[in-house]
Amino acid sequence: MIKTKDDLKLYLEQDKEQLGKTYSKPHVFGDEIWKFQIYLRKLEYYTNSSVGGGDNTHYNEKIFFF
């Protein structure tokens, strides 16, 4: 469960490593899986942490229009 920003960074770094990416940011074309994982990790962070404030409808809508 991702509750802190440090947890989020750790999970994102591990996802990047598991996908075998050597560059720092996903490319505009061709990295759809990596971008989707980033969105899911951020959604989990905002859902579980107090940063989200409990109302994450705007972020949830952004996920579905990915």
Side-chain angles (χ1 to χ4, degrees):
M1 187 181 295
I2 303 173
K3 289 192 172 190
T4 66
K5 198 140 206 160
D6 291 333
D7 289 344
L8 176 62
K9 288 179 184 179
L10 177 67
Y11 275 84
L12 290 175
E13 288 173 9
Q14 290 176 349
D15 288 340
K16 176 183 159 185
E17 183 179 316
Q18 289 299 315
L19 289 171
K21 305 299 181 183
T22 57
Y23 36 93
S24 61
K25 294 182 180 181
H27 293 161
V28 176
F29 300 106
D31 284 331
E32 286 77 18
I33 293 172
W34 188 15
K35 288 188 279 189
F36 188 67
Q37 282 184 330
I38 291 169
Y39 282 125
L40 288 178
R41 295 295 188 192
K42 287 182 179 181
L43 176 63
E44 182 179 358
Y45 169 67
Y46 284 115
T47 302
N48 295 333
S49 71
S50 60
V51 174
D55 182 25
N56 298 315
T57 55
H58 176 70
Y59 201 82
N60 289 342
E61 290 172 1
K62 185 177 179 182
I63 277 287
F64 292 113
F65 290 111
F66 178 81

